[in-house]
Amino acid sequence: MPDLLIELFSEEIPARMQARAAEDLKRMVTDGLVEAGLTYASAGAFHTPRRLALSVEGLSEASRDTVEERKGPRNDAPEKALEGFLRSTGLTKEQLEIRDEKKGQAYFAKITHKGRPAEEIVAEVLEGAIRNFPWPKSMRWGAGDLRWVRPLHSILCLLSDEQGARVVPMQIDGIAAGDVTRGHRFMGPDEFTVSSFEDYEAKLKRGCVLLRAEERAETIWSEASSQAFAQGLELVEDRGLLDEVAGLVEWPVVLMGEIGDEFLDLPPEVLQTSMKEHQKFFSVRDPKSGKITRFVTVANIETRDHGATILAGNGKVLAARLSDAKFFWENDLRVVKEGGLEAMGEGLSNVTFHNRLGSQSDRVARIAALAREIAPQVSAEADEAERAAKVAKADLRSEMVGEFPELQGLMGRYYAEAQGLSPAIAAAAQEHYQPLGPSDAVPSAPVSVAVALADKLDTLAGFWAIDEKPTGSKDPFALRRAALGVIRLVLSNGLRLSLVQAIKDHLKVLAEHIDNAPHVHDVPDFELESYYDERPWLRKVGNFVSGLGDIGEGHSAVEGWDELLEEADDLLSFFHDRLKVHLRAEGIPHDVIDACIAMPGNDDLTLLVARAEALAGFLKTEDGENLTQGFKRANNILTQAEEKDGVEYSFGADAKFAEASEEKALFAALDGAQPKIDAAMASEDFASAMAAMASLRAPIDAFFEAVQVNTENQVLRRNRLNLLSRIRTTCGSVADLSKIEG
Amino acid sequence: MTDAPRSFQEIILRLQSYWATKGCAVLQPYDMEVGAGTFHPATTLRALGANPWAAAYVQPSRRPTDGRYGENPNRLQHYYQYQVIIKPSPKDLQDLYLGSLRAIGIDTSLHDIRFVEDDWESPTLGAWGLGWEVWCDGMEVSQFTYFQQVGGHDCRPVSGELTYGLERLAMYVLGVDHVMEMPFNDPDAPIALSYGDVFRQTEEEYSRHNFDTATTEMLLRHFEDAEAECAKILSQPAEDPRTGKRIVMAHPAYDQAIKASHLFNLLDARGVISVTERQAYIGRVRALAKACADAFVTTEAGGATA
């Protein structure tokens, strides 16, 4: 059983692509080998900045012979048919077999496919893998047509066993496979031959290349930690950076350097971000002060001066970068101290948010108005929420965020603190962007919640108003994420909020802002159509605005208003869709949610979810399941009767017409349960309402068992149908059970 | 040659002679205002078509928005790029490049040289390529790109392009912290000149001009003129009525594209272009560059066979 070793040696592969590429190589090659009839014991993939490698152990020598059986013509068929069969199978008439069939006899052929040697299969599979490799981005080079992530220089492809190693003969666009590779670009540039995987890894190490990424990462981490520890400091953990840096070097050499004193007062996040983004440096913290005081850089080379030149050069670049950061920081602080975040945010009026939704400052004004409206409902102080919203995005105009967009929000918080704004406002500057995704933390401070909700609702209502809704996989404005953000904010804070009302109110605010809509007033009626033809997005909103202003006779203001309001309902159903996705992840099936959405107050998501949770819990019980069946049976009989009779049976069921004891018992049960259900519903205690309903299950089952609803006696029949109607109403008070599947 | 160079110009001279010995035609700068060495027709146009090509040159480059009145230690509105382009890209281009670093006194056994992913794209030229930024001890000293597309045309064969930011590279090699303090000629020359002696005043003048004085209405008008002229030049029939020869005027048209691009940069520095307009302007320049590329590939230098 030979082992297979492959190395694809190229110019520097982007760090972020290496791990995935190694896995892809392993998958493509091993799948290909197996598909061609080979087996193997185990396989491992490796990557460095300049090479992808694959080791496959215990590969079969060759694929096995396979025998294919094929049925031919009947033995009394014309000679021509037999000739054709012989030609297609490559056999002679003597090699065929004649077997009995249902009707007469037929020829059968056994064709043996010879197994193929591993070499042949490996060459074919590897070529296919190289040509079809799924790089995120690939390129051509020189005069060739081959594509790889960067120019591919050599291919090593070996089969080795006790007898030794043999090169798998193959060639791809002029690159012939061999048994040769080389080590580190500067420290081990000479070529060497390889006889097995163990030999390969060992010789690479001698050539100053650590083949295994995890070994490089471990070396970096332990060396950096111990250097930091020796100085009484600690390394700031950053797994993503560690993996990236491990992909940038073949021979990691850890060097620790100092950060100039003049930079130590910068916020630690600024130091960390600048060093990481620009230079891939790790941060080293002084545990006593919490400050970042040193950096760790990872070089790819050992030098005779033990890295002194490299460290000095890196330190110089860092100082230049941090001088910039310090300059930004000091300028920003000056602006804030002189005119507050308000002054810093002035330039937002020059920044377009979206060409149909006005500037960032328009948007900030809208968010502030909305945050003020929402504030009382989230226990925030209205003035404070409004103030927080007004300054929350000012840091977008800071020089620091201009340089490091990922620091948005955080810088706002620092600057708000520097300005002496309340801690709640400072926190809102940072937290109002949250939650950014399904796993991001949800703010709970009332002012942060108010601004976060206003921010997201403005985005959603705005894009709905101009009809830029997500379609299929296209969601360029991340509206699904915004909607999920609203959902999580509402649910995790238990907020009671009418979304539709908030959206409708906000659409009114939006209408005033969109494209500075007031100029619609100035358009004479006879030009209005051509005006709208040029600005179709204003049609809806313009109608609405001109209606408000009582200007522009000849087009219906009422129509425009209704149309715009419909968007609120449409947006609500978008929220419901996102909510279904969110709740499905928490184990609540979609039909349960649909049954609850059908009830009033469905734009109060907290109420809606409380209902859905109670219903989901109830349906898991035996009573719940049977009650649902009983409800459906009642509903079906009733619906059919109503259709047939053309009347609605909804009132007047009277216990005095009850005959059977089961019928009487059901009346009694309904009478007994109703007050309990009403009381529970009044206090939105859905679980108790469901529990009261559960007591109806046995009487309903018994009723259907013993009583025939559609009896000859019309008086009894009408009374019973009206009784069914009571079941329908009572059972439907928590949710529309007809939506429950199964 | 590992002895250290002593001046800015010595670094340039060493690069010139290094690439000359490696077979490049050492060209002179293009005589127009450009934002980067890539705009030189020796790169943009010559990267197109099948004809082999090898050139190296210094290109003065202007980025009006980067003006800092000569005060910033490493930001300039006028600076030099060193540009090398070889088509088809040779197999040992990385080694050739490392040789050029050694030629200017960078000992590659003492420094940490790295090739860090950086995909290059020029929206105004309709061009992109894959490659790296090259780091020396954490500092970016060059761009290294394999051109895949220029002016909307696939590059076949592929050109390898190297771009050195000369001031930054020289400051590093010479150990200078402020660009204006860098020796321009030999510090021991009878009349020793620093970079500041040559350029401090012009940086001030151009910064003021670019940010506050350039007349925007005129710039807008000139932009439109250049755009119209480019289209007009390209719309001429291929056959020249005077000589009867086939003369497609790709280069004169491309000059107008270069002009439009620089005018756009100036307008940008004057702050009169909004975010949305920006994209539209870039699109207009790209349309010109593409039209010039389309024309060039129909010429002999562009690899068209008669």
Side-chain angles (χ1 to χ4, degrees), chain A residues 35 48 111 132 236 267 316 362 375 396 483 507 516 586 626 677:
Chain A
E35 217 164 279
T48 81
I111 311 159
N132 301 307
V236 177
K316 213 168 192 177
D362 292 338
L396 293 178
L507 283 168
N516 295 323
E586 309 204 335
N626 286 320
I677 293 172

Side-chain angles (χ1 to χ4, degrees), chain A residues 228-246:
Chain A
F229 181 77
Q231 305 285 334
L233 304 171
E234 63 189 18
L235 193 61
V236 177
E237 197 170 333
D238 189 335
R239 185 73 224 182
L241 182 61
L242 183 59
D243 288 340
E244 187 182 359
V245 171

Side-chain angles (χ1 to χ4, degrees), chain A residues 11-12 14 16 137 139-140 142 145 150-151 153 185 248 298-301 303-304 309-310 313-314 316-317, chain B residues 89 91 94 107-112 114 117 119 131-132 137-139 146 148 155-158 172 177:
Chain A
E11 297 177 13
E12 276 76 354
R16 65 190 170 94
K137 261 188 190 171
M139 54 165 272
R140 292 171 288 105
D145 279 313
R150 292 294 183 274
H153 280 265
R185 185 190 286 287
L248 287 170
V298 182
N300 188 35
I301 191 167
T303 62
R304 58 183 180 275
T309 306
I310 296 171
N314 276 287
K316 213 168 192 177
V317 181
Chain B
S89 63
K91 199 180 169 197
Q94 281 188 315
D107 178 350
T108 53
S109 70
L110 206 52
H111 293 271
D112 184 31
R114 305 261 283 280
E117 178 192 13
D119 301 343
W132 312 271
D137 302 336
M139 182 164 79
Y146 291 101
Q148 301 296 299
C155 297
R156 281 178 193 276
V158 168
Y172 189 69
D177 290 329

Side-chain angles (χ1 to χ4, degrees), chain A residues 241 244-245 248 275-282, chain B residues 135:
Chain A
L241 182 61
E244 187 182 359
V245 171
L248 287 170
M275 297 202 295
K276 172 182 175 170
E277 293 305 314
H278 292 310
Q279 293 177 274
K280 324 272 183 220
F281 286 176
F282 291 91
Chain B
W135 287 12

